[in-house]
Amino acid sequence: MTVALIIVGVGIIGLIAVVVGIVDAAQASAWREIAAQRREQWLHRQPEFHGVDPDARDED
């Protein structure tokens, strides 16, 4: 009885994993588009540093 319950539990977990994988694959392109839009908005909000060398170290 206990072994059967464990097998059923593992089967349910496997089924859930397959369903989540399918749903994730179906929505991946939409999430990539949303991420691209957010990245573009974020880059637009960033200040531009004119004449500043980001690799220069403060040697005080």
Side-chain angles (χ1 to χ4, degrees):
M1 180 68 184
T2 305
V3 174
L5 187 59
I6 291 172
I7 292 172
V8 169
V10 170
I12 291 173
I13 290 172
L15 180 64
I16 290 171
V18 169
V19 169
V20 167
I22 291 170
V23 170
D24 183 49
Q27 294 180 349
S29 63
W31 283 115
R32 279 194 296 271
E33 182 65 32
I34 290 169
Q37 291 171 358
R38 289 180 179 175
R39 187 179 312 110
E40 187 65 34
Q41 292 170 356
W42 181 81
L43 287 172
H44 184 69
R45 290 192 309 261
Q46 298 307 304
E48 292 184 25
F49 296 105
H50 299 286
V52 175
D53 184 8
D55 294 327
R57 294 182 179 207
D58 191 11
E59 306 256 347
D60 285 341

